[in-house]
Amino acid sequence: MPMPIHPIFNEHSLQSIAKAEGLVVICADAAGSFGPSAKRVNRLMKGALRKFADSEVFEKMDEGEIQRFPAPLGLLANAVLLLKMKKRPSVEMAQKCGANIAKEAGKSNIHLFVTANARAAHLAFGIAMRRYNFNEYKTKNQTAFGSLNIYVTNVSKTEIEYNDLGAVVDGVFFTRDLVNEPANILTTSEFSNRLKDLEKLGLKVSVLEEADMEALGMFSLLGVGMGSESPSKIVIMEWSGGGNESPFALVGKGVVFDTGGISLKPAGGMEDMTMDMGGAGVVAGVMKTLALRKAKANIVGLVGLVENMPDAKAQRPGDIVKSMKGETIEVINTDAEGRLVLADVLWYAQKTFKPSGIINLATLTGAIIVALGHENAGAFSNNDKLVNDFIKSAGHESEGVWRMPLNKNYDKLIISRIADIKNVGGRTAGSITAAQFIQRFIDEDMPWVHLDIAGVASVKNETDFAPKGATGWGVRSLNRLISDIYEI
Ligand code: BES
Ligand code: ZN
Ligand code: ZN
């Protein structure tokens, strides 16, 4: 498994510059003025850096942009990177600058000289977030990332500041690894084992097996896993760092592979459905972060782990299943399985934990990608405060989210002729009817947000903070929401 890469913070030292191997990174502000480290690099480079910073090319660079000077005279480094950044950038900009450095650096050693910059920890966070790859199954060219050294004037202060940010990096990487894993490796049992491992960090982890779920009447969830050799499971992760208040609940869709079931998906692109456990992956990542940074909050994470396969034992279109809530569901399309899983996990979460609120995450609909593309997740909610708090957190964490409507008028689309409800509406408003379906399993007065992350959990192009593939979208925002609103 790729190891999270955390920086080493070193006491600022001008002597280190000439000797640093790999890349030397220094900054200049918009006016082109240098700090002591850039001045030293400029002297070593016989004024070449100054000349560039006075040029029109530099003037036209945006904040966060980088200029590379290959094979600089007078330094041992392979290249010098000059980053254009204000002396006191916003936190978001500092993180983005860090990510840009990592992107430009590739696998090289990084020596970043920031001296007294107040945002050193955030620069470090940005670099660490972007220095991720999933190499597990490459048998060749598996070179690891080089070292990451950051030179600051106050090492212990920066280390303390980085501590909680590093916990976020670890949580995000845990999510990315889970989402990137293929489905022959990350079966429901393997997933559950990896979550059990989190007990080492002080989380309480328990598992509901199929027999337990049968006893509880969770036939909506169980129906989805009928065609698979892998046993369906619900894994419950509890972090009790708060007082005696009731917990906040996070619930994730964990379909380890979604073939569509008997309503089989077309072959083209089906391989992407290894990421259909993305919601569960995010919940797991947040729980890991909370444990690592010893959050002062009570949070329970529940994930429904199933595999949606076609088989002689698989459920059929037209089947009627009874949910734990007691309502019956006509399964029109076995490919609309996520909502069937969430229905029972959400109901169980409410009845068992009486949470103060719930956020669920799911790669639920292709329709949300049609609506929002890969830039924003869709947020559906019955509670303005909770959803607005979340949107605010996401804004601070550079994670895109856009609120979508819920309205009882859509309910007529999911009325069944013979059961209480059916699992798909028509062709229109696919993401909304999915959300309306889920809401049927949320108590009226329960603050709740449903995040449809189908477009953002794993992407084909690199993003600011992640290479192609799993992004870990949501870990940062949820961790932020918890620290801003739910910590005591
Ligand atoms: N897992 C899919 C949704 C999905 C699509 C996730 C693309 C990520 C990328 C979900 O289970 C599904 O198949 N939804 C169907 C619902 C339809 C049958 C009503 C869809 O979106 O087509
Ligand atoms: Zn599906
Ligand atoms: Zn699915």
Side-chain angles (χ1 to χ4, degrees):
M1 204 172 298
M3 288 297 292
I5 295 144
H6 296 297
I8 298 163
F9 293 105
N10 306 277
E11 211 53 65
H12 166 70
S13 127
L14 291 175
Q15 287 73 37
S16 307
I17 294 175
K19 291 179 290 188
E21 289 182 42
L23 294 174
V24 164
V25 187
I26 33 85
C27 317
D29 70 9
S33 63
F34 292 161
S37 308
K39 279 187 185 145
R40 170 63 66 98
V41 171
N42 181 51
R43 209 166 319 133
L44 291 166
M45 287 173 69
K46 308 246 181 297
L49 205 61
R50 177 75 272 147
K51 207 166 158 194
F52 176 77
D54 289 338
S55 74
E56 209 178 309
V57 181
F58 179 81
E59 205 190 315
K60 287 203 174 125
M61 275 165 60
D62 287 331
E63 192 178 14
E65 263 190 73
I66 291 166
Q67 174 69 35
R68 176 185 279 260
F69 298 86
L73 285 171
L75 282 86
L76 209 57
N78 300 328
V80 164
L81 304 186
L82 176 66
L83 167 71
K84 186 167 180 176
M85 185 181 76
K86 282 200 196 98
K87 288 213 175 63
R88 245 194 113 75
S90 68
V91 165
E92 288 84 353
M93 178 49 79
Q95 295 178 350
K96 174 126 191 283
C97 286
N100 290 352
I101 293 169
K103 204 159 133 179
E104 180 65 33
K107 291 187 173 168
S108 306
N109 294 336
I110 297 175
H111 295 269
L112 169 62
F113 293 86
V114 283
T115 328
N117 194 294
R119 303 285 188 226
H122 291 283
L123 277 159
F125 172 75
I127 298 174
M129 283 285 284
R130 190 63 182 69
R131 269 179 30 131
Y132 171 87
N133 61 16
F134 189 71
N135 259 341
E136 191 81 340
Y137 304 102
K138 292 258 188 213
T139 60
K140 298 183 189 75
N141 303 327
Q142 222 200 25
T143 43
F145 288 107
S147 61
L148 172 53
N149 281 284
I150 303 186
Y151 300 81
V152 295
T153 40
N154 194 333
V155 171
S156 54
K157 183 172 155 273
T158 316
E159 278 173 351
I160 289 166
E161 231 191 303
Y162 182 79
N163 210 28
D164 283 2
L165 296 168
V168 175
V169 174
D170 287 341
V172 168
F173 281 22
F174 186 50
T175 302
R176 288 181 187 169
D177 285 349
L178 289 167
V179 172
N180 280 327
E181 284 285 11
N184 59 332
I185 303 294
L186 195 76
T187 59
T188 55
S189 300
E190 173 63 16
F191 200 152
S192 151
N193 289 341
R194 291 194 191 183
L195 300 184
K196 268 270 172 202
D197 257 8
L198 295 175
E199 281 190 327
K200 290 186 200 123
L201 302 177
L203 285 159
K204 184 179 165 210
V205 183
S206 47
V207 182
L208 296 182
E209 303 291 351
E210 285 182 349
D212 305 316
M213 292 189 272
E214 268 171 43
L216 287 160
M218 297 179 161
F219 297 102
S220 179
L221 183 151
L222 286 167
V224 176
M226 300 260 283
S228 172
E229 285 291 314
S230 296
S232 300
K233 292 170 191 287
I234 292 176
V235 181
I236 302 149
M237 296 158 274
E238 292 170 74
W239 176 254
S240 307
N244 48 22
E245 74 278 13
S246 52
F248 189 83
L250 302 174
V251 171
K253 167 181 173 181
V255 176
V256 294
F257 195 75
D258 182 12
T259 63
I262 297 298
S263 313
L264 194 64
K265 286 182 182 294
M270 200 202 274
E271 68 280 5
D272 293 339
M273 287 301 114
T274 56
M275 55 73 108
D276 210 21
M277 34 54 67
V282 174
V283 172
V286 176
M287 297 311 294
K288 180 165 184 171
T289 295
L290 297 177
L292 284 171
R293 68 176 186 80
K294 303 205 174 1
K296 292 186 176 54
N298 296 337
I299 309 291
V300 57
L302 303 98
V303 294
L305 307 181
V306 302
E307 187 180 34
N308 189 20
M309 296 288 271
D311 178 80
K313 296 203 188 91
Q315 76 177 342
R316 294 152 288 253
D319 281 3
I320 294 177
V321 291
K322 192 169 202 167
S323 63
M324 181 185 172
K325 183 184 176 188
E327 285 193 28
T328 55
I329 304 163
E330 184 185 9
V331 180
I332 299 290
N333 189 321
T334 64
D335 196 13
E337 84 297 340
R339 63 200 77 179
L340 299 173
V341 173
L342 288 173
D344 278 338
V345 185
L346 286 167
W347 195 253
Y348 176 82
Q350 292 166 95
K351 298 306 130 183
T352 311
F353 294 100
K354 308 259 178 292
S356 57
I358 304 188
I359 295 183
N360 76 256
L361 300 101
T363 49
L364 202 67
T365 65
I368 201 70
I369 309 176
V370 175
L372 300 175
H374 301 286
E375 303 301 328
N376 286 291
F380 301 80
S381 182
N382 61 0
N383 187 290
D384 291 344
K385 170 155 184 0
L386 181 58
V387 74
N388 288 334
D389 284 344
F390 179 79
I391 290 169
K392 199 166 152 205
S393 302
H396 287 306
E397 297 292 335
S398 312
E399 291 184 326
V401 60
W402 194 258
R403 188 169 183 182
M404 300 283 290
L406 283 170
N407 191 291
K408 66 173 173 31
N409 291 341
Y410 293 97
D411 283 338
K412 58 179 170 291
L413 298 170
I414 49 175
I415 296 169
S416 164
R417 182 176 58 86
I418 47 175
D420 296 329
I421 189 172
K422 61 182 178 179
N423 79 329
V424 293
R427 265 168 24 85
T428 59
S431 300
I432 305 174
T433 50
Q436 293 290 135
F437 180 98
I438 296 172
Q439 191 176 18
R440 284 283 278 254
F441 299 88
I442 298 291
D443 284 321
E444 193 119 3
D445 55 355
M446 176 60 61
W448 160 74
V449 176
H450 153 54
L451 297 170
D452 193 335
I453 61 168
V456 295
S458 182
V459 294
K460 302 269 184 235
N461 295 303
E462 60 180 349
T463 61
D464 283 348
F465 290 96
K468 289 175 195 174
T471 61
W473 186 99
V475 174
R476 297 177 59 173
S477 302
L478 288 167
N479 175 64
R480 172 83 177 224
L481 176 78
I482 290 162
S483 77
D484 284 357
I485 309 283
Y486 293 95
E487 290 206 40
I488 54 173

